[in-house]
Amino acid sequence: MFPLRFNPNEIFQPQLITIRFSHYCEIARWALDFSGIGYNEVAYAVGCHFDPVGTLRASKDRRAASSYPGTETNQHDGRLKFGVPLVCLKEGEILKDSWEVLKHYVGDLSADWIKKFDTMLGPSVRRVMYCEILRPENERIFINLFQDSTELENSFLATEKQNIAAGIKAMMNISDTTLYKDRQTLDSLFCEYDLFLDGIPDISAHRDTNPAWWIAVSSLTGILLAAPSYGGHSFSPSTLSEYTESHQEWVAGLRDTKIGRNILSFYRTHRAKKIDA
């Protein structure tokens, strides 16, 4: 139903395929921005990306290996056929997921850090955010996820918005019970990252020498912390004040941790804001 918007065999610069608001896509987008290389972002609205992404990943060796869904969800590895991001390069080469993109354009992370980010931090942030966004009182935030969608996508969303929301909730196993568990996980991870930073004598120097780590941890948490410049030039997030009071209070606590303050600082100093046309 939704076509691929370019010919992979006729490209002259990298094509970054995303769902615009995704925190895993933010890793890849930030990595490309960091490199300074010219690229084109092809962003699909969630629910409209299956056909084009599935076309690019038709071969099993092109499937993503990251964006782990989490053990609390009703997902399986087959979903990685439709996972974003990916980057199409010239001559048919692709970078299959956010970690390959980060390694290619910025630098590598240890397997231990990738596992922690991919199996704990990433899934917990994703589920917490969807849980909040899908609350009836947050419909305006949900609609904001589809900013800059195409006319065809908007037409589809006008009739399928409720089905998309219900599908996400079922697939992610979103409930107040999983929200409680995920918040506990994130509280624990932020304490762990605080202890990690306590062992670094010069955080500014660490940012300069370990940009891949900072881009990864900041991207995966930026939408949760409502970093104003989350999304760079591609996506403008809702402000924290638009969420429920309980979410605001909990996030305020995360923002006030050592890692939270440093992530927000890293966004302010190293991430370009979206430029409105």
Side-chain angles (χ1 to χ4, degrees):
M1 179 178 180
F2 296 94
L4 189 61
R5 299 179 200 154
F6 64 96
N7 185 336
N9 299 316
E10 298 178 0
I11 59 175
F12 301 96
Q13 63 179 358
Q15 305 291 305
L16 169 64
I17 317 303
T18 69
I19 291 174
R20 207 178 293 275
F21 61 84
S22 161
H23 56 347
Y24 278 98
C25 292
E26 173 75 340
I27 295 175
R29 183 190 299 120
W30 197 337
L32 280 155
D33 289 341
F34 177 89
S35 75
I37 193 170
Y39 70 96
N40 180 52
E41 180 172 353
V42 183
Y44 290 93
V46 64
C48 303
H49 66 291
F50 294 107
D51 286 347
V53 174
T55 297
L56 291 170
R57 295 193 188 277
S59 174
K60 287 188 176 182
D61 63 357
R62 290 180 161 227
R63 304 287 165 85
S66 72
S67 190
Y68 178 76
T71 56
E72 298 288 339
T73 73
N74 296 316
Q75 301 180 72
H76 53 81
D77 289 345
R79 67 170 292 281
L80 296 177
K81 177 181 179 181
F82 308 104
V84 288
L86 70 152
V87 172
C88 293
L89 303 172
K90 292 187 294 184
E91 298 178 355
E93 182 184 358
I94 73 164
L95 303 174
K96 295 183 289 187
D97 55 43
S98 53
W99 304 118
E100 286 194 5
V101 178
L102 186 66
K103 180 178 180 178
H104 187 85
Y105 291 106
V106 182
D108 205 0
L109 287 177
S110 71
D112 285 344
W113 273 117
I114 289 177
K115 183 177 180 180
K116 289 179 181 179
F117 288 155
D118 214 26
T119 62
M120 297 178 70
L121 182 62
S124 293
V125 169
R126 178 197 288 127
R127 217 164 23 239
V128 164
M129 293 307 298
Y130 270 129
C131 186
E132 288 299 315
I133 289 167
L134 293 176
R135 294 187 187 282
E137 61 266 41
N138 287 335
E139 183 178 8
R140 184 169 62 177
I141 300 174
F142 180 71
I143 292 172
N144 186 54
L145 301 182
F146 302 99
Q147 58 188 251
D148 299 325
S149 295
T150 66
E151 184 176 347
L152 179 61
E153 287 172 336
N154 284 328
S155 177
F156 174 77
L157 295 168
T159 58
E160 296 296 326
K161 182 175 66 175
Q162 296 304 318
N163 289 334
I164 292 171
I168 291 171
K169 192 170 184 177
M171 185 172 63
M172 298 286 182
N173 191 21
I174 291 170
S175 68
D176 287 339
T177 299
T178 55
L179 173 64
Y180 177 76
K181 291 180 180 178
D182 286 322
R183 281 186 173 184
Q184 283 189 313
T185 295
L186 291 169
D187 286 339
S188 177
L189 288 173
F190 272 61
C191 287
E192 180 183 325
Y193 299 156
D194 274 3
L195 290 173
F196 173 71
L197 293 186
D198 284 342
I200 297 173
D202 187 339
I203 292 177
S204 179
H206 187 266
R207 288 174 174 177
D208 293 338
T209 56
N210 297 275
W213 190 88
W214 282 96
I215 288 173
V217 73
S218 298
S219 296
L220 290 178
T221 58
I223 195 167
L224 171 68
L225 298 176
S229 44
Y230 177 87
H233 296 295
S234 181
F235 179 75
S236 293
S238 297
T239 62
L240 184 58
S241 63
E242 296 178 72
Y243 288 88
T244 59
E245 287 187 12
S246 63
H247 182 77
Q248 291 180 48
E249 291 172 2
W250 176 66
V251 171
L254 295 180
R255 281 179 152 200
D256 199 39
T257 61
K258 189 170 188 176
I259 185 64
R261 292 193 301 271
N262 276 278
I263 287 170
L264 291 173
S265 172
F266 190 65
Y267 259 100
R268 284 193 298 270
T269 58
H270 291 76
R271 195 81 179 105
K273 294 182 180 179
K274 179 173 179 177
I275 299 174
D276 294 323

